[in-house]
Amino acid sequence: MIRFSPEALRTVLAALPKATAYWIAFSGGQDSRVLLHALAALRNALEAPLQAAHVNHGLHPDASCWAQACTEVCEYHAIPLSVVQLDARHPVGNSPEAWARERRYRALQALMHEGEMMLTAHHRDDQGETLLMQLLRGSGPQGLAGMPPLVRWGAGWLARPLLAFDRADLAAYAEAHRLGWIEDPSNTDTRYARNFLRHAVLPVLKTRWPSLGATLARAALWQAEAAALIDEIAEQDLARVASAAPAAVSVSRLRRLPEARRRNVLRVWLVRCGLPSMTAVQLQQLAGEALECRWDSRACIRWPGGEVRRYRDDFYAMRPLSPHDANQVFAWNCDTPLALPLGTLTVERGADGIRAAACVNDSVTVRFRRGGERLRPCGSSHTRLLKHLFQEQGIPPWRRDRIPLVYFGKKLAAVAGLWRHQALAADPDEIGLCFRWTESEENAGAVAAAKCVGSGD
């Protein structure tokens, strides 16, 4: 077993991609204190500047004192420190550990720039605890693979250079160098699942299997290899089931896959869409019942942070749609952009627009579809229901009442970004008003993170 030292750490860092800067995720606890001390010793050998980040969750009365202690340690080593203040009180129904971890990682990622690398102090015992936690949750290979030593993270990288070392190695280093560190009392609270494993379960297991930490770490590596192979198969299947609609998957093509591969490709598809994981039961429902529904069904599976909808032969995945009141009416002068709850409506002057003379500022309003609206699109010989136009365009039902309708008086003049009324169209040699619709990031993410479900046409 390799004992921990700055030189051993240097060997690990040499195998990682070159970074434009190194960040230390510095809680002030023993593990991150050891990592910071060793990196400070290596500073002159590193090819990139070194800095640290401390996240103050504000959950303990001494949190501010801990932040000050971290500041003093970093000043002693002449390492710049960024302190991030968070309110990590978890919402009802959320795991306090998971909520704090998510907020912490999001805050740390926000500090980084292109090519920089965040270093955390997770070690081999942490890896073993993670594997057991995932096993007790019934996770598959992706969960049992534990924490990857290196992963792309925002604009840079997240690395865990201490995974090859035991907690005892780091404790011995801390004692040898007479390091001080912060003892967070919550780390001994066995009401938390990980602490219960660490203090009540693993010590008993180690009396029978002394090399348990190394064994579990090795098992995680095997699971990571299996997970990589499974993901490779999923990527190949994802190319086969991809729909012509952007980021959607075809129901008929999914049906041709064996059930296990269906679940696998759907799991990876949701990850690619940036959505939280479904439960195993929901994934089974998506790969089974929702797949067998009629093409015109209203199939929709929802879970916290995501939903999958069916429209015709496609599944669409998205973040939950934000509330929308289709009864809203907005007056508009057409001279300045109109900020709407779901995006921004603007006017450009060019060909294929509405006659400018037809626009009387005090009569222009923006509304949303409520049903029964009609329009005669350019090139059409008769007036058409918007519902039928949307169907022909393949626009899913949940998007239809979110697209702005521009009215001149009581006449529907244009459907932003789609159609204009033939009777109001500018002549070929005339400059007209073209209505452009830019969805807000929240709304665009909801309707296009992947393409969504269907209700009946």
Side-chain angles (χ1 to χ4, degrees), residues 2-32:
I2 304 173
R3 303 291 292 185
F4 180 77
S5 68
E7 282 306 311
L9 176 60
R10 182 181 181 182
T11 301
V12 175
L13 293 178
L16 299 177
K18 289 188 179 298
T20 56
Y22 289 110
W23 286 87
I24 307 164
F26 187 44
S27 68
Q30 183 184 80
D31 305 331
S32 64

PDB file of all heavy atoms in Angstrom, residues 2-32:
ATOM      1  N   ILE A   2       0.530   2.233  -0.844  1.00  0.00           N
ATOM      2  CA  ILE A   2       1.302   3.465  -0.930  1.00  0.00           C
ATOM      3  C   ILE A   2       0.911   4.378   0.218  1.00  0.00           C
ATOM      4  O   ILE A   2      -0.267   4.697   0.404  1.00  0.00           O
ATOM      5  CB  ILE A   2       1.050   4.179  -2.274  1.00  0.00           C
ATOM      6  CG1 ILE A   2       1.371   3.247  -3.439  1.00  0.00           C
ATOM      7  CG2 ILE A   2       1.853   5.459  -2.360  1.00  0.00           C
ATOM      8  CD1 ILE A   2       0.990   3.820  -4.778  1.00  0.00           C
ATOM      9  N   ARG A   3       1.887   4.768   1.031  1.00  0.00           N
ATOM     10  CA  ARG A   3       1.607   5.721   2.107  1.00  0.00           C
ATOM     11  C   ARG A   3       1.484   7.115   1.517  1.00  0.00           C
ATOM     12  O   ARG A   3       2.109   7.457   0.515  1.00  0.00           O
ATOM     13  CB  ARG A   3       2.748   5.703   3.136  1.00  0.00           C
ATOM     14  CG  ARG A   3       3.022   4.351   3.755  1.00  0.00           C
ATOM     15  CD  ARG A   3       1.898   3.902   4.662  1.00  0.00           C
ATOM     16  NE  ARG A   3       1.804   4.741   5.860  1.00  0.00           N
ATOM     17  CZ  ARG A   3       0.966   4.511   6.859  1.00  0.00           C
ATOM     18  NH1 ARG A   3       0.133   3.484   6.794  1.00  0.00           N
ATOM     19  NH2 ARG A   3       0.935   5.297   7.899  1.00  0.00           N
ATOM     20  N   PHE A   4       0.658   7.941   2.157  1.00  0.00           N
ATOM     21  CA  PHE A   4       0.434   9.269   1.610  1.00  0.00           C
ATOM     22  C   PHE A   4       1.614  10.180   1.874  1.00  0.00           C
ATOM     23  O   PHE A   4       2.190  10.194   2.973  1.00  0.00           O
ATOM     24  CB  PHE A   4      -0.822   9.902   2.207  1.00  0.00           C
ATOM     25  CG  PHE A   4      -1.077  11.274   1.655  1.00  0.00           C
ATOM     26  CD1 PHE A   4      -1.605  11.435   0.392  1.00  0.00           C
ATOM     27  CD2 PHE A   4      -0.752  12.412   2.390  1.00  0.00           C
ATOM     28  CE1 PHE A   4      -1.827  12.704  -0.127  1.00  0.00           C
ATOM     29  CE2 PHE A   4      -0.960  13.681   1.881  1.00  0.00           C
ATOM     30  CZ  PHE A   4      -1.504  13.821   0.618  1.00  0.00           C
ATOM     31  N   SER A   5       1.955  10.976   0.860  1.00  0.00           N
ATOM     32  CA  SER A   5       2.997  11.994   0.969  1.00  0.00           C
ATOM     33  C   SER A   5       2.804  12.977  -0.172  1.00  0.00           C
ATOM     34  O   SER A   5       2.087  12.676  -1.141  1.00  0.00           O
ATOM     35  CB  SER A   5       4.385  11.361   0.852  1.00  0.00           C
ATOM     36  OG  SER A   5       4.589  10.860  -0.471  1.00  0.00           O
ATOM     37  N   PRO A   6       3.432  14.152  -0.094  1.00  0.00           N
ATOM     38  CA  PRO A   6       3.327  15.086  -1.214  1.00  0.00           C
ATOM     39  C   PRO A   6       3.805  14.479  -2.533  1.00  0.00           C
ATOM     40  O   PRO A   6       3.217  14.723  -3.582  1.00  0.00           O
ATOM     41  CB  PRO A   6       4.200  16.270  -0.775  1.00  0.00           C
ATOM     42  CG  PRO A   6       4.099  16.257   0.715  1.00  0.00           C
ATOM     43  CD  PRO A   6       4.086  14.795   1.074  1.00  0.00           C
ATOM     44  N   GLU A   7       4.861  13.664  -2.473  1.00  0.00           N
ATOM     45  CA  GLU A   7       5.366  13.050  -3.705  1.00  0.00           C
ATOM     46  C   GLU A   7       4.377  12.037  -4.269  1.00  0.00           C
ATOM     47  O   GLU A   7       4.214  11.930  -5.490  1.00  0.00           O
ATOM     48  CB  GLU A   7       6.728  12.390  -3.445  1.00  0.00           C
ATOM     49  CG  GLU A   7       7.881  13.381  -3.391  1.00  0.00           C
ATOM     50  CD  GLU A   7       7.949  14.268  -4.631  1.00  0.00           C
ATOM     51  OE1 GLU A   7       7.886  13.722  -5.758  1.00  0.00           O
ATOM     52  OE2 GLU A   7       8.044  15.494  -4.484  1.00  0.00           O
ATOM     53  N   ALA A   8       3.733  11.285  -3.373  1.00  0.00           N
ATOM     54  CA  ALA A   8       2.705  10.347  -3.845  1.00  0.00           C
ATOM     55  C   ALA A   8       1.552  11.111  -4.488  1.00  0.00           C
ATOM     56  O   ALA A   8       0.995  10.692  -5.514  1.00  0.00           O
ATOM     57  CB  ALA A   8       2.204   9.492  -2.688  1.00  0.00           C
ATOM     58  N   LEU A   9       1.181  12.249  -3.905  1.00  0.00           N
ATOM     59  CA  LEU A   9       0.127  13.081  -4.474  1.00  0.00           C
ATOM     60  C   LEU A   9       0.570  13.641  -5.824  1.00  0.00           C
ATOM     61  O   LEU A   9      -0.222  13.689  -6.773  1.00  0.00           O
ATOM     62  CB  LEU A   9      -0.208  14.223  -3.513  1.00  0.00           C
ATOM     63  CG  LEU A   9      -1.242  15.243  -4.000  1.00  0.00           C
ATOM     64  CD1 LEU A   9      -2.576  14.577  -4.302  1.00  0.00           C
ATOM     65  CD2 LEU A   9      -1.421  16.351  -2.956  1.00  0.00           C
ATOM     66  N   ARG A  10       1.823  14.017  -5.921  1.00  0.00           N
ATOM     67  CA  ARG A  10       2.344  14.563  -7.186  1.00  0.00           C
ATOM     68  C   ARG A  10       2.233  13.530  -8.307  1.00  0.00           C
ATOM     69  O   ARG A  10       1.903  13.872  -9.449  1.00  0.00           O
ATOM     70  CB  ARG A  10       3.792  14.996  -7.000  1.00  0.00           C
ATOM     71  CG  ARG A  10       4.415  15.634  -8.237  1.00  0.00           C
ATOM     72  CD  ARG A  10       5.854  16.027  -7.983  1.00  0.00           C
ATOM     73  NE  ARG A  10       6.452  16.654  -9.142  1.00  0.00           N
ATOM     74  CZ  ARG A  10       7.713  17.061  -9.203  1.00  0.00           C
ATOM     75  NH1 ARG A  10       8.509  16.917  -8.143  1.00  0.00           N
ATOM     76  NH2 ARG A  10       8.181  17.617 -10.299  1.00  0.00           N
ATOM     77  N   THR A  11       2.478  12.273  -7.982  1.00  0.00           N
ATOM     78  CA  THR A  11       2.360  11.202  -8.976  1.00  0.00           C
ATOM     79  C   THR A  11       0.916  11.096  -9.485  1.00  0.00           C
ATOM     80  O   THR A  11       0.672  10.905 -10.682  1.00  0.00           O
ATOM     81  CB  THR A  11       2.803   9.860  -8.369  1.00  0.00           C
ATOM     82  OG1 THR A  11       4.160   9.973  -7.935  1.00  0.00           O
ATOM     83  CG2 THR A  11       2.677   8.730  -9.380  1.00  0.00           C
ATOM     84  N   VAL A  12      -0.052  11.215  -8.555  1.00  0.00           N
ATOM     85  CA  VAL A  12      -1.463  11.161  -8.955  1.00  0.00           C
ATOM     86  C   VAL A  12      -1.809  12.341  -9.855  1.00  0.00           C
ATOM     87  O   VAL A  12      -2.452  12.182 -10.908  1.00  0.00           O
ATOM     88  CB  VAL A  12      -2.380  11.148  -7.712  1.00  0.00           C
ATOM     89  CG1 VAL A  12      -3.840  11.218  -8.135  1.00  0.00           C
ATOM     90  CG2 VAL A  12      -2.129   9.897  -6.880  1.00  0.00           C
ATOM     91  N   LEU A  13      -1.378  13.539  -9.480  1.00  0.00           N
ATOM     92  CA  LEU A  13      -1.704  14.737 -10.254  1.00  0.00           C
ATOM     93  C   LEU A  13      -1.077  14.681 -11.644  1.00  0.00           C
ATOM     94  O   LEU A  13      -1.662  15.183 -12.614  1.00  0.00           O
ATOM     95  CB  LEU A  13      -1.214  15.987  -9.522  1.00  0.00           C
ATOM     96  CG  LEU A  13      -1.903  16.323  -8.197  1.00  0.00           C
ATOM     97  CD1 LEU A  13      -1.269  17.554  -7.562  1.00  0.00           C
ATOM     98  CD2 LEU A  13      -3.400  16.544  -8.402  1.00  0.00           C
ATOM     99  N   ALA A  14       0.105  14.065 -11.755  1.00  0.00           N
ATOM    100  CA  ALA A  14       0.781  13.988 -13.051  1.00  0.00           C
ATOM    101  C   ALA A  14      -0.019  13.174 -14.061  1.00  0.00           C
ATOM    102  O   ALA A  14       0.133  13.358 -15.279  1.00  0.00           O
ATOM    103  CB  ALA A  14       2.173  13.384 -12.868  1.00  0.00           C
ATOM    104  N   ALA A  15      -0.866  12.270 -13.580  1.00  0.00           N
ATOM    105  CA  ALA A  15      -1.667  11.432 -14.480  1.00  0.00           C
ATOM    106  C   ALA A  15      -2.963  12.104 -14.902  1.00  0.00           C
ATOM    107  O   ALA A  15      -3.692  11.570 -15.756  1.00  0.00           O
ATOM    108  CB  ALA A  15      -1.977  10.100 -13.797  1.00  0.00           C
ATOM    109  N   LEU A  16      -3.274  13.264 -14.334  1.00  0.00           N
ATOM    110  CA  LEU A  16      -4.507  13.984 -14.655  1.00  0.00           C
ATOM    111  C   LEU A  16      -4.264  14.963 -15.803  1.00  0.00           C
ATOM    112  O   LEU A  16      -3.114  15.308 -16.099  1.00  0.00           O
ATOM    113  CB  LEU A  16      -4.997  14.749 -13.422  1.00  0.00           C
ATOM    114  CG  LEU A  16      -5.331  13.917 -12.189  1.00  0.00           C
ATOM    115  CD1 LEU A  16      -5.723  14.833 -11.025  1.00  0.00           C
ATOM    116  CD2 LEU A  16      -6.441  12.921 -12.490  1.00  0.00           C
ATOM    117  N   PRO A  17      -5.310  15.420 -16.470  1.00  0.00           N
ATOM    118  CA  PRO A  17      -5.136  16.427 -17.520  1.00  0.00           C
ATOM    119  C   PRO A  17      -4.496  17.698 -16.961  1.00  0.00           C
ATOM    120  O   PRO A  17      -4.657  18.023 -15.784  1.00  0.00           O
ATOM    121  CB  PRO A  17      -6.585  16.706 -17.978  1.00  0.00           C
ATOM    122  CG  PRO A  17      -7.371  15.512 -17.551  1.00  0.00           C
ATOM    123  CD  PRO A  17      -6.722  15.014 -16.299  1.00  0.00           C
ATOM    124  N   LYS A  18      -3.771  18.399 -17.807  1.00  0.00           N
ATOM    125  CA  LYS A  18      -3.171  19.660 -17.377  1.00  0.00           C
ATOM    126  C   LYS A  18      -4.269  20.670 -17.085  1.00  0.00           C
ATOM    127  O   LYS A  18      -5.230  20.805 -17.838  1.00  0.00           O
ATOM    128  CB  LYS A  18      -2.228  20.192 -18.455  1.00  0.00           C
ATOM    129  CG  LYS A  18      -0.946  19.379 -18.602  1.00  0.00           C
ATOM    130  CD  LYS A  18       0.018  20.062 -19.548  1.00  0.00           C
ATOM    131  CE  LYS A  18       1.315  19.265 -19.675  1.00  0.00           C
ATOM    132  NZ  LYS A  18       2.028  19.153 -18.397  1.00  0.00           N
ATOM    133  N   ALA A  19      -4.129  21.368 -15.968  1.00  0.00           N
ATOM    134  CA  ALA A  19      -5.134  22.347 -15.553  1.00  0.00           C
ATOM    135  C   ALA A  19      -4.560  23.754 -15.652  1.00  0.00           C
ATOM    136  O   ALA A  19      -3.342  23.961 -15.509  1.00  0.00           O
ATOM    137  CB  ALA A  19      -5.577  22.067 -14.119  1.00  0.00           C
ATOM    138  N   THR A  20      -5.443  24.723 -15.886  1.00  0.00           N
ATOM    139  CA  THR A  20      -4.999  26.121 -15.909  1.00  0.00           C
ATOM    140  C   THR A  20      -4.922  26.688 -14.495  1.00  0.00           C
ATOM    141  O   THR A  20      -4.282  27.721 -14.266  1.00  0.00           O
ATOM    142  CB  THR A  20      -5.964  26.970 -16.744  1.00  0.00           C
ATOM    143  OG1 THR A  20      -7.289  26.824 -16.221  1.00  0.00           O
ATOM    144  CG2 THR A  20      -5.962  26.504 -18.199  1.00  0.00           C
ATOM    145  N   ALA A  21      -5.580  26.026 -13.546  1.00  0.00           N
ATOM    146  CA  ALA A  21      -5.502  26.394 -12.125  1.00  0.00           C
ATOM    147  C   ALA A  21      -6.036  25.226 -11.311  1.00  0.00           C
ATOM    148  O   ALA A  21      -6.877  24.450 -11.781  1.00  0.00           O
ATOM    149  CB  ALA A  21      -6.306  27.656 -11.835  1.00  0.00           C
ATOM    150  N   TYR A  22      -5.527  25.096 -10.081  1.00  0.00           N
ATOM    151  CA  TYR A  22      -6.030  24.085  -9.151  1.00  0.00           C
ATOM    152  C   TYR A  22      -6.809  24.770  -8.035  1.00  0.00           C
ATOM    153  O   TYR A  22      -6.345  25.749  -7.447  1.00  0.00           O
ATOM    154  CB  TYR A  22      -4.874  23.295  -8.526  1.00  0.00           C
ATOM    155  CG  TYR A  22      -4.172  22.361  -9.487  1.00  0.00           C
ATOM    156  CD1 TYR A  22      -2.871  22.637  -9.926  1.00  0.00           C
ATOM    157  CD2 TYR A  22      -4.790  21.197  -9.943  1.00  0.00           C
ATOM    158  CE1 TYR A  22      -2.217  21.782 -10.795  1.00  0.00           C
ATOM    159  CE2 TYR A  22      -4.137  20.334 -10.815  1.00  0.00           C
ATOM    160  CZ  TYR A  22      -2.853  20.641 -11.239  1.00  0.00           C
ATOM    161  OH  TYR A  22      -2.207  19.789 -12.103  1.00  0.00           O
ATOM    162  N   TRP A  23      -7.992  24.231  -7.756  1.00  0.00           N
ATOM    163  CA  TRP A  23      -8.788  24.658  -6.613  1.00  0.00           C
ATOM    164  C   TRP A  23      -8.823  23.536  -5.597  1.00  0.00           C
ATOM    165  O   TRP A  23      -8.962  22.362  -5.956  1.00  0.00           O
ATOM    166  CB  TRP A  23     -10.232  24.954  -7.041  1.00  0.00           C
ATOM    167  CG  TRP A  23     -10.431  26.227  -7.809  1.00  0.00           C
ATOM    168  CD1 TRP A  23     -10.316  26.409  -9.146  1.00  0.00           C
ATOM    169  CD2 TRP A  23     -10.832  27.483  -7.262  1.00  0.00           C
ATOM    170  NE1 TRP A  23     -10.610  27.698  -9.487  1.00  0.00           N
ATOM    171  CE2 TRP A  23     -10.941  28.390  -8.348  1.00  0.00           C
ATOM    172  CE3 TRP A  23     -11.112  27.943  -5.978  1.00  0.00           C
ATOM    173  CZ2 TRP A  23     -11.314  29.718  -8.179  1.00  0.00           C
ATOM    174  CZ3 TRP A  23     -11.494  29.263  -5.811  1.00  0.00           C
ATOM    175  CH2 TRP A  23     -11.585  30.147  -6.888  1.00  0.00           C
ATOM    176  N   ILE A  24      -8.742  23.882  -4.319  1.00  0.00           N
ATOM    177  CA  ILE A  24      -8.907  22.894  -3.252  1.00  0.00           C
ATOM    178  C   ILE A  24     -10.263  23.148  -2.598  1.00  0.00           C
ATOM    179  O   ILE A  24     -10.528  24.257  -2.124  1.00  0.00           O
ATOM    180  CB  ILE A  24      -7.810  23.029  -2.187  1.00  0.00           C
ATOM    181  CG1 ILE A  24      -6.428  22.986  -2.824  1.00  0.00           C
ATOM    182  CG2 ILE A  24      -7.955  21.936  -1.122  1.00  0.00           C
ATOM    183  CD1 ILE A  24      -5.328  23.495  -1.902  1.00  0.00           C
ATOM    184  N   ALA A  25     -11.109  22.136  -2.586  1.00  0.00           N
ATOM    185  CA  ALA A  25     -12.373  22.231  -1.849  1.00  0.00           C
ATOM    186  C   ALA A  25     -12.028  22.045  -0.376  1.00  0.00           C
ATOM    187  O   ALA A  25     -11.818  20.930   0.098  1.00  0.00           O
ATOM    188  CB  ALA A  25     -13.350  21.161  -2.334  1.00  0.00           C
ATOM    189  N   PHE A  26     -11.954  23.165   0.353  1.00  0.00           N
ATOM    190  CA  PHE A  26     -11.366  23.171   1.695  1.00  0.00           C
ATOM    191  C   PHE A  26     -12.433  23.385   2.761  1.00  0.00           C
ATOM    192  O   PHE A  26     -12.886  24.502   3.005  1.00  0.00           O
ATOM    193  CB  PHE A  26     -10.314  24.280   1.767  1.00  0.00           C
ATOM    194  CG  PHE A  26      -9.520  24.297   3.044  1.00  0.00           C
ATOM    195  CD1 PHE A  26      -9.025  23.132   3.607  1.00  0.00           C
ATOM    196  CD2 PHE A  26      -9.263  25.501   3.697  1.00  0.00           C
ATOM    197  CE1 PHE A  26      -8.298  23.150   4.787  1.00  0.00           C
ATOM    198  CE2 PHE A  26      -8.526  25.539   4.876  1.00  0.00           C
ATOM    199  CZ  PHE A  26      -8.046  24.347   5.422  1.00  0.00           C
ATOM    200  N   SER A  27     -12.845  22.288   3.398  1.00  0.00           N
ATOM    201  CA  SER A  27     -13.820  22.386   4.489  1.00  0.00           C
ATOM    202  C   SER A  27     -13.155  22.743   5.806  1.00  0.00           C
ATOM    203  O   SER A  27     -13.790  23.252   6.730  1.00  0.00           O
ATOM    204  CB  SER A  27     -14.559  21.058   4.647  1.00  0.00           C
ATOM    205  OG  SER A  27     -13.674  20.052   5.129  1.00  0.00           O
ATOM    206  N   GLY A  28     -11.836  22.457   5.903  1.00  0.00           N
ATOM    207  CA  GLY A  28     -11.115  22.657   7.153  1.00  0.00           C
ATOM    208  C   GLY A  28     -11.034  21.393   7.985  1.00  0.00           C
ATOM    209  O   GLY A  28     -10.354  21.364   9.016  1.00  0.00           O
ATOM    210  N   GLY A  29     -11.740  20.316   7.530  1.00  0.00           N
ATOM    211  CA  GLY A  29     -11.644  19.031   8.212  1.00  0.00           C
ATOM    212  C   GLY A  29     -10.299  18.370   7.962  1.00  0.00           C
ATOM    213  O   GLY A  29      -9.479  18.859   7.182  1.00  0.00           O
ATOM    214  N   GLN A  30     -10.076  17.248   8.635  1.00  0.00           N
ATOM    215  CA  GLN A  30      -8.756  16.603   8.566  1.00  0.00           C
ATOM    216  C   GLN A  30      -8.342  16.278   7.132  1.00  0.00           C
ATOM    217  O   GLN A  30      -7.195  16.558   6.739  1.00  0.00           O
ATOM    218  CB  GLN A  30      -8.768  15.326   9.400  1.00  0.00           C
ATOM    219  CG  GLN A  30      -7.408  14.636   9.445  1.00  0.00           C
ATOM    220  CD  GLN A  30      -7.458  13.316  10.197  1.00  0.00           C
ATOM    221  OE1 GLN A  30      -7.887  12.296   9.653  1.00  0.00           O
ATOM    222  NE2 GLN A  30      -7.052  13.348  11.465  1.00  0.00           N
ATOM    223  N   ASP A  31      -9.234  15.705   6.342  1.00  0.00           N
ATOM    224  CA  ASP A  31      -8.864  15.250   5.007  1.00  0.00           C
ATOM    225  C   ASP A  31      -8.481  16.407   4.089  1.00  0.00           C
ATOM    226  O   ASP A  31      -7.443  16.359   3.419  1.00  0.00           O
ATOM    227  CB  ASP A  31     -10.007  14.443   4.390  1.00  0.00           C
ATOM    228  CG  ASP A  31     -10.434  13.279   5.267  1.00  0.00           C
ATOM    229  OD1 ASP A  31      -9.579  12.760   6.011  1.00  0.00           O
ATOM    230  OD2 ASP A  31     -11.626  12.898   5.221  1.00  0.00           O
ATOM    231  N   SER A  32      -9.308  17.452   4.057  1.00  0.00           N
ATOM    232  CA  SER A  32      -8.986  18.583   3.194  1.00  0.00           C
ATOM    233  C   SER A  32      -7.798  19.375   3.741  1.00  0.00           C
ATOM    234  O   SER A  32      -7.052  19.999   2.972  1.00  0.00           O
ATOM    235  CB  SER A  32     -10.206  19.490   3.000  1.00  0.00           C
ATOM    236  OG  SER A  32     -10.604  20.087   4.215  1.00  0.00           O
TER     237      SER A  32
END
